[in-house]
Each structure stands twice: as C-alpha cells, then as structure tokens.
Amino acid sequence: MNKRTIAILGATGSIGTQTLDIVRRYPDRFQADCLVAHSSAEKLFDLVREFRPKVAALAAEPREIPEDVRFCEWIFGPDCAVKAIQAAKPMDALCAIVGIAGLDAVWAALDICERVLLANKEALVTGGSLVMEKAAQLGKPMLPVDSEHSAIFQCLQARQENPVRRLHLTASGGALRDWPKEKMRSATVRDVLAHPTWSMGGKITVDCATMVNKGLEIIEAHYLFDMPVDRINVVVHPQSVIHSMIEFEDGAVLAQLGRPDMRGPIGYAMGFPERIPYGAQPLDFAQLGQLTFAAPDGERYPCLKMAQDALRAGGSLPVALNGANEVAVAAFLREQIAFGDIAPIISEVLEKTSRSEITCIGDVYAADAAARVLAKNCVGRLSC
Ligand code: NAD
Ligand code: MG
C-alpha cells in the first residue's frame, strides 16, 4: 500500500500527539512528513527523532537545533506552518493549531494538499464562508476532526439524498457543570482544567466550561454542513458517549457513539473512507447503564446564546466573538482575570463591534485585530 504523507500542524498538542499515536500504530500506512509546533522545542525534537519528517517548523526560534535532528529542513517564524507545508507538499494536512493562528495554514493546505483534516475550529469560525468556498472551488475535502462534526459526518454517510431537518450537537457541560452558579465566577484555572470526560489542550478546556466551545461548534457545523443556526440544537449529555446526531424529515435520528477518545474522530478522518482501529475498548452498554440529556442552562452558559446571535448577525461578528474569547481565555489562564469575566468581556466586545462584511481573508484579520483591542481594554480594566 502506498503511504499517505501527512503534515501535522500543532504536532506537540493534544490533537497532534494523538494523531502521531495513530501514525505510530500504522507505519506502513502513514508518513508524518511535516511537523509544526509553536514553542515546545524539546518536545518537537523528540518527535522529529522518532518520526523523521522531511520538514519541521517552530513558530518561536529555539536557541539551538541539536545535531541529531538537523537531517530535516527546519523553518522558523510566525508563518512557519504555511512555509512548512509548501516545502513538504504532503497529501494530507491535519490542522490542529489552536486559535485563529491556524487560519493561514488551513488556507494554504487547501492549495497544496489533497485533503484537509480539520481540528482547528477557530479557522472556520473566523474564515468559514471563505474557507468553504475555496474548498468547494478546488474540490478539496474538508474532513472534520472535532468529535461532534465527525459524528455528524459519519451519520451523513447514511443519508442518501434525504434532507436533514436538524443537527443535534452534544455537550459535556465542562468542568463546572455541577457547580452552584454563584460559585462559578471564582473558579480557578485548576478547577476549570479538570474536564470530566475529555483530555484536551488548555484553551478548549476553558471553552468547554464557558460553553463558548459549543457556540464555536455551532458556527463550525453551520459552515461544514451548510445548516442554518436555528436547525442546530445543543443538548447537554454528561457521559460524552453520543458524539452528535442528525435528524431526518420523518423524525428518525441517527447518532454516532463511542468512547470519549479523540483518536476515534482523528483516525476516521485519516483513514476515510476506511475505518482504522486504534485500540479502543468496545463500549459496554450494560456497564454504562444510562445515557442522560438536558437542555443547556442559559444562565450558566451565556456564551452559547452570544455565539448563536453572532452567527445570525454574520459578517464580522463571529470573528469578533472568537477574538474576544481568545484574549479573555489567555488572560484567565495567566490568572489576570476571573473565570466569570470571560463572558462579560465577549459580550462587551460584541456590543461595541459594528458589523462589517467579510469578503477576503484581510477582512477577517482586520475584524480580529479590532476585537482584540477592545478585549484587551476590558482585560486591562478587570486585571486582578
Ligand atoms: P493544544 O494547545 O494542546 O495544542 C496546540 C498545538 O498548536 C501545539 O502543538 C502548539 O505548539 C501549536 N501551535 C499553537 N500556536 C501555533 C502557531 N502560531 N504556530 C504553530 N503552531 C502553533 O490544543 P489542542 O487541544 O490540541 O487543540 C488544537 C485545535 O483542535 C483547537 O482548535 C481545538 O479547538 C481543536 N480541537 C481539539 C480537541 C481536543 O480534544 N484537544 C477536540 C476538538 C477540537
Ligand atoms: Mg468538539
């Protein structure tokens, strides 16, 4: 079998290392030709030693490149991900850089690679219509890696020509799901990072606790599946066993179930259309006992409605929501602001943003920059 070459953008992160776990299991099938990370140089050196890519890249230049990893081409700087895929020209790009910082790489991967395997949801939240238009024009598949979107994509394989009435996105509720609402405001970084079912990077774990993550995922689903916001339902499902569902006109619902293990959706995208086992234990339904569901509590999770409203308004507002959230989450993780400040910062930025059209990637970055200025002002005012 011919090996599929793959770039792993965000190779040292949660998604990146789980992707490499699958590459490690199937050395005859995949070749990690290009590894990109931000600043975790030592971790990347180890991965380069093990996977021997053609190209490796770091956004922040390290002090020294060890002798034994100099066999590959090294690229440094903020635009290293784009340059690295241009140099390696892999068949697939697994886009798992966190935040809008990954948008350029998704854009370039569409030009260079045969397929884009997308974990970096912020690229679609901010550049959604442009990215999907480009993918359609070039006829390049965008294979979702986000577990909910992978679940929907998997269910859609059984759709035939039938229209889909609604999408149901499941949400774990995050680390503070069972906390009294009045205590949530002062949750510490440690409290928020203790996710009950998924083990993920810091930013997305905070996003789960505010449920901005589900808001971002509504926007992501809107673009990936061309579904209006009012036909995307969110349901809290604490066990994280049903990864999401599609509903047909006759009321029939298809769901995709599995353990909460990101190697499931990552492997599905890597092997598509073939399923490749990654060593997960089968689900034991008798042991699970029950699966439960609840409507999201709007008071506990105000960010969810903000995201729905931003998507309804369209234009620059989803970009502003994302930019404000990135600034607020980074400030919370630095312990500059309280957990309870994140939602009001996003709300204030959205209120102060006047909607503009997004017609090119430059418009996305302009809207993002404007939102970041507003959000940083809020952080400055609120800093503890
Ligand atoms: P993470 O913080 O664990 O890893 C991020 C990776 O991106 C790291 O390797 C980091 O070095 C790299 N990176 C960050 N900024 C960069 C830059 N400017 N240039 C080059 N590399 C850069 O994050 P994660 O949890 O793996 O999430 C990655 C993306 O996948 C996010 O968009 C997230 O929303 C999405 N996602 C993650 C999960 C999950 O289970 N972790 C699930 C669904 C979706
Ligand atoms: Mg998800």
Side-chain angles (χ1 to χ4, degrees), residues 121 176 209 213 223 225 237 248 262 317 321 325 344 364 377:
K121 65 190 82 183
L176 311 179
N213 182 53
Y223 288 121
F225 307 115
H237 167 49
F248 292 105
M262 284 308 293
L317 287 179
L321 170 106
N325 182 56
V364 175
N377 285 340

Side-chain angles (χ1 to χ4, degrees), residues 306-356:
M306 289 184 218
Q308 288 164 323
D309 289 345
L311 178 56
R312 274 187 202 104
S316 54
L317 287 179
V319 186
L321 170 106
N322 180 73
N325 182 56
E326 286 193 27
V327 169
V329 171
F332 169 66
L333 288 171
R334 286 194 303 266
E335 301 185 329
Q336 269 181 287
I337 59 166
F339 177 76
D341 291 331
I342 298 174
I345 290 176
I346 299 172
S347 170
E348 184 174 329
V349 170
L350 286 171
E351 259 167 46
K352 290 186 172 164
T353 298
S354 48
R355 185 190 178 286
S356 56

Side-chain angles (χ1 to χ4, degrees), residues 211 233-236 294-299 301 304:
M211 228 192 248
N233 180 45
V234 170
V235 61
V236 177
D297 174 346
E299 262 182 57
Y301 303 116
L304 190 59

Side-chain angles (χ1 to χ4, degrees), residues 232-303:
I232 306 174
N233 180 45
V234 170
V235 61
V236 177
H237 167 49
Q239 297 83 12
S240 302
V241 167
I242 296 185
H243 297 318
S244 278
M245 303 174 262
I246 67 173
E247 178 185 312
F248 292 105
E249 293 290 349
D250 63 355
V253 173
L254 297 191
Q256 188 263 331
L257 283 70
R259 287 189 185 273
D261 185 329
M262 284 308 293
R263 290 174 305 169
I266 294 168
Y268 187 73
M270 289 171 78
F272 183 77
E274 202 183 316
R275 288 181 180 273
I276 48 177
Y278 60 93
Q281 290 296 309
L283 279 177
D284 182 337
F285 288 99
Q287 195 181 24
L288 274 172
Q290 58 179 347
L291 299 177
T292 59
F293 306 95
D297 174 346
E299 262 182 57
R300 182 180 290 277
Y301 303 116
C303 295

